[in-house]
Amino acid sequence: MWEGFPLFPESASTIAGTVDRLYFFLIGVAIFFSLLIGSLVFIFAIKYRRRTENETPRPIVGSLKLELVWTIIPFILAMIMYAQGVSVYFETSRPPSGAMEIYVVGKQWMWKLQHPNGRREINELHVPVGMPIKLTMTSEDVIHSFYVPAFRIKMDVLPGRYTTTWFQATKTGRFHLFCAEYCGTKHSGMIGWVIVMEPSDFEEWLRTTPPPAAPRGLAGERPPLPVRPGESLAAVGERLFQQLGCNSCHLPEPGGQGPPLTGIFGRRITLEGGETVVADETYLRESIINPMAKIVSGYPPIMPPFQGKLTEEELVELIEYIKSLGRGERTTSQP
Amino acid sequence: MSSPVKLPGQHYLNAAYGIKSWLLTTDHKRIAWLYLASITLFFFVGGFFAVLIRLELMTPQGDLVEAETYNKLFTMHGLFMIFFFLIPSIPAVLGNFLVPMMIGAPDLAFPRLNLASWYIYIAGATLALVAAVTGGVDTGWTFYTPYSSIYSNTNVVLAALGIFITGFSSILTGINFIVTIHKMRAPGLTWFRLPLFIWAHYATSIIMVLGTPVLAVTIVLVAIERIFRIGFFDPALGGDPVLFQHLFWFYSHPAVYIMILPGMGVISELVTCFSRKRIFGYSFVAFSSLAIAVVGFLVWGHHMFVSSQSVYASMIFSILSFVVAVPSAIKVFNWTATLYKGSISLQTPMLYALGFIGLFTIGGMTGLALAALGLDVHVHDTYFVVAHFHYIMVGGMVMAYLGGLHFWWPKMTGRMYPEWWGRLSALIIFVGFNLAFFPQFLLGYLGMPRRYHAYPEEFQVLNVMSSAGASILGIGYLIPMIYFIWSMRYGAQAGPNPWQAKGLEWQTPSPPPTENFPITPVVTEDAYAYSQEEAAVV
């Protein structure tokens, strides 16, 4: 289109067309009503302009019929827009099963991205075209927001919580990745690129491009675990699990001091006091850094808290390891 | 207007002289002037920050100021415009001057509380100014945690204290209006004879009294977390980062209606007077104000569709946001219908009012894009949002404020402003405004996030257009400021009712005496009874 002066963003994901259609519908209605009101005001202002100083027009008090018309029509239009908005939202909030999972950690002021096979990237995300990609995101400090305009997706990235979004790119190319939630001094510098590749190129990229020396943050006094090239997140997590001594209580079979973790991910578990909770990423993260918050029924509250002792990447690695131990049945309706 | 008129010998402006007679006055009309002077000052302070922001955004590199300075500029632009200009402007200036006069009362119910409100406002604004000049604040006017409570290295507590204190001014003004409207109406002035300006101020006051304390609590929690490291919002301290957003928007979304409802009240007065017609569907317009005030409290979650709030909560907030648009639509249709077969005079206040209707319609309709769940995901926190709320708050609210100021200027000063210059300013503002903010809708859908100090090059052309419009807009705002000051001395004398308007405030001399009405008026007809026939009908 207009080089250097674009008026409409590129559409590069499966959801983009749906969002654009909703946008055109809303803008169409907006233009219609703005023109209607604008031209009525203009026509009335000209047609009924005051001709003599003392003229008084015939009073028109009101009309219940008209009031009902212009209450009900906007209401119905609003409800149509509402329903469409909800259906698009549902589509964007439900990642399809079998999506490729990528972890995102936001930090003032960079995006740290981790592929399941352990590949790490900063401010660049390589993905294959035509494959659903699920992002699981958290922040090391303040609230950020992961925004790719060409995909029409955006999701806040919060400290202390995992949020998810997903996309399926429909064309190859480089697309802006922005931080959309104001996050401090270099907020506008927290930008990067999503690079969508042909699946074969992506495989090639994964295999051949040497992984950069992954900068690992340091939390607490423990020396950081060195990461071997080509090692998957789950494998690093397993080594970390052993280094921290978690395996002395969390045995593979029941009988240890702590609950066994095999197949725990996604399962509904009963807490001390009878409440139940689904062991999702957020629950696991909380149970690592603050184990006393929700204690599994039947186990003594003896686990030490790891608050401040693990980086967000390390937490992600541990969770990825726990996930690799098998998945329980999802019993909640996750929208 | 042609007949020679004279200023009354004694009026509230010359009833007493000297600085003390102003600073210790309990006359609501003089307090309105105190507010007018201070609000105008803060409007130009906020406008100055806006100029620097738009200058910075002329180029993509961010070369005029440092990133940190830029962040402070947009924060203080927001803080000053919202808390010290938009929220108080119509209620504290026009409301203060007119609420007692429109209901035939000698003053507000609590005159000294009214003066105290102004001092509280000045104290809060002074603290915010001190915070601005001693290093500034860089959190954005929304103060999102944990950035504001833990990470920012700027004057967060001082600025927050300024906002906290100013909130009390808002609460006290609201209480004063509610009591005055309930207890001090002139004989015969029943609820359904009230001018719609009064209905709008009544609805606004309810929001001020119920909403502002929540903001106060929120600010205190931020300060406690910042100073004592007690975790409310920072998860590292055991807090919830989204909790702040719930508390903040519980006030700050209704606050948008604190800004726009009084503006709608002004527009109802202007449209009726300059088309010499009773408003079309009086009770629908009146009740739509109350409906907006009530439903407006239930839509705060639409600021949080991408914040990890539950999908079902988002659905509820979305549907309520669509519902609150309906009463606003009702008002727009009723104003338009009022013009039908009227006797329309396109004098300055009416030009502002018609401009308001157009800009408010665009602003309101684009708001629907933000209420629609799946679409909001894309435009959230982009320039689309910036354009939308400037259409409502600047295109709408400021147009209404200026229209109202022109309309009641002869009542406040006894003198007319120069009509030709007035129309010119209305035109310049309308053109400048659209050039400044329309390109931002396009920028937003293209994906330019808000609060960006530097941006990718493809956004430059639209940003330059926006900056050009902003400079035209700035000139448009300076012109009225100059001729208003000029007219105080040299303007033609107005007489009690230069517009041949209805309403009690026009039945007393301009400027009015300190007690407003020499004899308490008795009301025998409905509001806006512009023709004799109608008196027979009703």
Side-chain angles (χ1 to χ4, degrees):
Chain A
M1 250 192 331
W2 295 25
E3 253 343 285
F5 183 34
L7 291 173
F8 201 76
E10 211 170 338
S11 299
S13 76
T14 47
I15 199 77
T18 325
V19 174
D20 289 345
R21 271 192 295 284
L22 178 57
Y23 178 69
F24 288 133
F25 170 62
L26 258 103
I27 292 301
V29 174
I31 291 175
F32 173 77
F33 277 99
S34 302
L35 284 181
L36 177 75
I37 297 290
S39 43
L40 282 180
V41 164
F42 189 77
I43 292 167
F44 290 168
I46 301 299
K47 191 168 175 200
Y48 303 115
R49 70 181 178 280
R50 190 169 298 169
R51 283 150 216 278
T52 59
E53 188 56 34
N54 290 316
E55 80 179 352
T56 25
R58 200 173 62 83
I60 304 167
V61 173
S63 153
L64 184 63
K65 214 187 281 174
L66 271 178
E67 299 284 354
L68 287 177
V69 165
W70 63 52
T71 307
I72 292 168
I73 290 177
F75 183 78
I76 292 173
L77 275 173
M79 287 307 107
I80 295 171
M81 293 173 179
Y82 167 71
Q84 294 195 335
V86 169
S87 91
V88 176
Y89 193 60
F90 271 14
E91 218 174 309
T92 55
S93 3
R94 284 198 186 116
S97 56
M100 179 176 148
E101 289 196 51
I102 289 176
Y103 283 93
V104 180
V105 176
K107 171 183 169 21
Q108 285 175 324
W109 289 275
M110 64 167 92
W111 294 107
K112 300 195 274 189
L113 302 122
Q114 312 187 43
H115 291 265
N117 72 344
R119 228 2 239 288
R120 290 173 164 74
E121 299 186 73
I122 302 270
N123 290 347
E124 271 192 6
L125 173 62
H126 289 76
V127 291
V129 68
M131 159 92 99
I133 313 282
K134 179 187 169 197
L135 303 169
T136 301
M137 311 186 286
T138 192
S139 162
E140 270 181 34
D141 36 48
V142 302
I143 299 176
H144 304 279
S145 191
F146 189 97
Y147 178 33
V148 185
F151 298 165
R152 313 286 188 272
I153 57 156
K154 182 184 290 121
M155 189 67 201
D156 283 2
V157 177
L158 293 112
R161 198 181 282 195
Y162 289 102
T163 57
T164 58
T165 187
W166 76 279
F167 63 87
Q168 180 174 334
T170 52
K171 56 166 115 163
T172 57
R174 284 161 64 82
F175 305 102
H176 278 299
L177 159 61
F178 292 125
C179 175
E181 183 64 80
Y182 175 71
C183 60
T185 310
K186 291 183 193 146
H187 168 55
S188 66
M190 191 168 161
I191 63 179
W193 296 97
V194 177
I195 296 146
V196 180
M197 310 167 93
E198 289 297 338
S200 53
D201 295 343
F202 178 72
E203 290 304 321
E204 183 75 9
W205 173 83
L206 267 187
R207 215 156 27 80
T208 56
T209 322
R216 286 177 71 84
L218 190 56
E221 58 283 356
R222 196 174 43 79
L225 193 73
V227 176
R228 298 165 192 153
E231 196 178 25
S232 75
L233 288 186
V236 183
E238 183 174 10
R239 286 201 293 126
L240 189 58
F241 194 77
Q242 283 155 4
Q243 191 198 35
L244 296 169
C246 312
N247 52 351
S248 60
C249 296
H250 293 286
L251 307 178
E253 301 300 322
Q257 299 257 42
L261 301 177
T262 313
I264 200 167
F265 184 77
R267 202 198 300 157
R268 183 170 282 279
I269 50 176
T270 309
L271 302 179
E272 214 40 53
E275 238 185 297
T276 64
V277 65
V278 174
D280 57 7
E281 287 99 340
T282 302
Y283 170 76
L284 293 177
R285 183 183 182 283
E286 183 187 35
S287 297
I288 297 169
I289 62 172
N290 182 16
M292 299 306 143
K294 296 192 181 81
I295 294 177
V296 179
S297 164
Y299 289 93
I302 51 165
M303 178 168 154
F306 284 86
Q307 172 91 54
K309 295 184 177 157
L310 294 167
T311 62
E312 289 298 337
E313 282 107 325
E314 287 171 332
L315 284 163
V316 160
E317 286 153 6
L318 284 174
I319 290 168
E320 192 65 4
Y321 168 61
I322 294 169
K323 277 179 165 178
S324 75
L325 296 175
R327 193 174 270 267
E329 240 173 77
R330 282 252 173 193
T331 45
T332 44
S333 49
Q334 254 279 32
Chain B
M1 261 190 296
S2 49
S3 58
V5 282
K6 270 196 143 6
L7 290 184
Q10 268 287 326
H11 52 79
Y12 78 102
L13 290 170
N14 66 7
Y17 289 101
I19 193 91
K20 243 175 89 179
S21 78
W22 282 92
L23 292 181
L24 298 177
T25 183
T26 53
D27 181 353
H28 67 100
K29 300 183 287 302
R30 285 185 162 218
I31 294 171
W33 275 99
L34 296 178
Y35 272 115
L36 176 61
S38 34
I39 278 166
T40 307
L41 172 73
F42 295 128
F43 175 67
F44 282 100
V45 170
F48 172 70
F49 293 134
V51 168
L52 294 180
I53 290 169
R54 282 310 336 163
L55 277 177
E56 164 65 55
L57 294 176
M58 300 261 295
T59 54
Q61 299 85 12
D63 37 16
L64 180 72
V65 292
E66 303 266 296
E68 200 174 339
T69 314
Y70 179 80
N71 297 343
K72 289 175 181 172
L73 286 175
F74 73 67
T75 300
M76 290 181 301
H77 168 69
L79 285 181
F80 277 93
M81 285 304 196
I82 288 173
F83 292 107
F84 304 113
F85 173 70
L86 287 166
I87 287 178
S89 59
I90 294 185
V93 178
L94 298 175
N96 236 322
F97 196 91
L98 293 163
V99 166
M101 305 243 305
M102 281 188 171
I103 63 171
D107 206 323
L108 284 170
F110 308 114
R112 275 181 289 187
L113 195 65
N114 194 20
L115 180 65
S117 306
W118 181 72
Y119 276 102
I120 292 169
Y121 165 78
I122 288 297
T126 308
L127 278 183
L129 260 188
V130 170
V133 296
T134 58
V137 206
D138 74 341
T139 58
W141 80 276
T142 52
F143 289 103
Y144 268 23
T145 55
Y147 184 70
S148 65
S149 64
I150 301 290
Y151 290 88
S152 172
N153 296 315
T154 53
N155 280 340
V156 177
V157 172
L158 195 58
L161 187 64
I163 309 296
F164 176 78
I165 290 174
T166 309
F168 286 93
S169 162
S170 198
I171 296 169
L172 296 178
T173 303
I175 291 172
N176 221 337
F177 283 175
I178 290 175
V179 176
T180 308
I181 295 168
H182 269 275
K183 305 300 283 185
M184 297 178 69
R185 283 171 285 131
L189 189 56
T190 59
W191 280 92
F192 290 98
R193 283 178 176 172
L194 285 175
L196 292 164
F197 183 88
I198 299 293
W199 274 105
H201 273 72
Y202 188 76
T204 307
S205 303
I206 292 174
I207 305 175
M208 285 174 161
V209 172
L210 295 181
T212 317
V214 180
L215 177 71
V217 169
T218 315
I219 288 175
V220 168
L221 293 180
V222 169
I224 292 177
E225 178 160 299
R226 213 177 149 78
I227 300 168
F228 303 107
R229 304 279 152 169
I230 293 173
F232 297 109
F233 308 119
D234 183 7
L237 304 172
D240 176 356
V242 182
L243 173 64
F244 172 86
Q245 298 178 24
H246 281 287
L247 291 170
F248 178 82
W249 289 114
F250 184 81
Y251 166 77
S252 294
H253 196 81
V256 174
Y257 300 114
I258 297 182
M259 302 173 213
I260 198 68
L261 274 171
M264 293 169 153
V266 169
I267 298 307
S268 299
E269 301 299 315
L270 300 185
V271 166
T272 50
C273 172
F274 291 93
S275 48
R276 268 195 203 144
K277 276 193 58 204
R278 198 196 149 104
I279 190 116
F280 191 91
Y282 172 94
S283 51
F284 283 89
V285 182
F287 280 117
S288 64
S289 286
L290 291 181
I292 289 171
V294 173
V295 186
F297 268 109
L298 305 173
V299 303
W300 77 88
H302 72 213
H303 294 267
M304 298 155 65
F305 289 159
V306 297
S307 72
S308 82
Q309 157 180 279
S310 99
V311 172
Y312 301 105
S314 293
M315 284 172 67
I316 301 293
F317 286 122
S318 171
I319 199 167
L320 288 165
S321 306
F322 277 107
V323 167
V324 81
V326 175
S328 302
I330 291 174
K331 281 189 196 275
V332 170
F333 287 124
N334 276 292
W335 291 323
T336 311
T338 305
L339 299 173
Y340 178 66
K341 290 194 171 173
S343 164
I344 296 167
S345 158
L346 292 177
Q347 281 169 298
T348 309
M350 187 61 157
L351 289 182
Y352 276 108
L354 299 183
F356 172 99
I357 295 176
L359 300 181
F360 179 76
T361 305
I362 297 175
M365 297 297 303
T366 50
L368 297 177
L370 303 173
L373 283 166
L375 186 51
D376 177 71
V377 169
H378 176 56
V379 289
H380 188 86
D381 270 331
T382 67
Y383 265 80
F384 192 91
V385 177
V386 176
H388 157 72
F389 70 71
H390 279 88
Y391 262 83
I392 299 282
M393 281 145 64
V394 184
M397 182 14 248
V398 181
M399 294 291 270
Y401 175 62
L402 286 173
L405 210 53
H406 282 86
F407 183 53
W408 284 291
W409 189 253
K411 182 54 62 185
M412 294 174 77
T413 62
R415 291 181 185 272
M416 301 301 295
Y417 59 85
E419 184 60 34
W420 187 86
W421 283 100
R423 290 182 195 183
L424 182 72
S425 74
L427 189 70
I428 292 178
I429 289 174
F430 188 80
V431 171
F433 176 85
N434 280 297
L435 184 56
F437 293 104
F438 196 82
Q440 296 186 0
F441 283 123
L442 302 172
L443 267 179
Y445 202 77
L446 270 176
M448 176 161 165
R450 63 193 288 207
R451 295 169 168 174
Y452 263 32
H453 156 252
Y455 53 84
E457 263 170 40
E458 63 259 34
F459 300 139
Q460 188 177 9
V461 178
L462 288 165
N463 268 299
V464 170
M465 285 166 70
S466 181
S467 297
S471 58
I472 297 174
L473 186 62
I475 294 168
Y477 287 140
L478 281 172
I479 295 173
M481 163 118 153
I482 294 166
Y483 66 66
F484 272 144
I485 293 173
W486 174 89
S487 76
M488 283 198 261
R489 195 175 170 99
Y490 303 105
Q493 300 192 354
N497 189 359
W499 313 116
Q500 297 174 274
K502 296 287 173 178
L504 292 179
E505 78 271 26
W506 302 106
Q507 295 182 18
T508 191
S510 313
T514 302
E515 70 278 13
N516 291 348
F517 299 94
I519 311 158
T520 305
V522 177
V523 181
T524 55
E525 54 190 18
D526 284 1
Y528 317 115
Y530 276 96
S531 77
Q532 293 304 314
E533 273 173 80
E534 186 183 20
V537 172
V538 174

